[in-house]
């Protein structure tokens, strides 16, 4: 598996280059997924096809998706909280089991 990441300032053509690169990779026979995290959702314009959060087949060997950052955050927030609490618990000194403790977030 190879990951190609397009980065740069806004308006320089990252989406257009990513769409063209994905199209060529698919034409060469590579199973290709082009993901966009741009809230403007312009990848759909590049492919002239409606895209969604879930991958949609654009052409043979080519899929596209426009990720919704808020949807990703909401669906993965539980994993973030579990990681936070497990790492916080493992870094705290052990206390006698009869002592009541509670984990507080924030200050004051």
């Amino acid at each position: 598996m190879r990951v190609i990441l397009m980065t740069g300032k806004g308006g320089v053509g990252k989406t257009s280059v990513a769409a063209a690169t994905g199209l060529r990779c698919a034409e060469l026979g590579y199973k290709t997924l082009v993901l966009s995290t741009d809230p403007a959702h312009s990848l759909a314009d590049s492919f002239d096809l409606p895209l969604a959060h879930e991958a949609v087949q654009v052409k043979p060997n080519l899929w596209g998706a426009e990720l919704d950052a808020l949807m990703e955050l909401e669906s993965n927030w539980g994993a973030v909280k579990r990681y936070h609490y497990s790492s916080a618990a493992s870094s705290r000194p052990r206390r006698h089991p009869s002592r009541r403790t509670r984990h507080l977030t924030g200050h004051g």
Side-chain angles (χ1 to χ4, degrees):
M1 179 172 66
R2 175 173 285 172
V3 175
I4 302 172
L5 182 64
M6 309 292 181
T7 65
K9 292 173 46 173
V12 297
K14 296 178 299 292
T15 300
S16 299
V17 171
T21 302
L23 182 59
R24 182 65 179 139
C25 288
E27 288 171 348
L28 292 171
Y30 297 104
K31 288 185 180 177
T32 305
L33 173 62
V34 180
L35 296 175
S36 174
T37 59
D38 186 349
H41 297 307
S42 54
L43 184 60
D45 295 333
S46 294
F47 288 139
D48 195 27
L49 184 73
L51 296 177
H53 188 76
E54 298 296 323
V56 173
Q57 189 161 16
V58 176
K59 292 192 177 269
N61 292 323
L62 179 60
W63 290 262
E66 293 177 321
L67 298 183
D68 182 326
L70 183 56
M71 187 182 291
E72 283 297 314
L73 177 64
E74 288 173 352
S75 66
N76 291 294
W77 188 244
V80 171
K81 288 194 307 189
R82 283 190 300 279
Y83 173 79
H84 168 72
Y85 288 119
S86 69
S87 65
S90 66
S91 66
R92 273 188 258 145
R94 301 281 179 214
R95 296 183 181 230
H96 189 276
S98 66
R99 284 193 181 174
R100 275 185 76 184
T101 61
R102 53 185 183 159
H103 181 74
L104 300 176
T105 59
H107 297 15

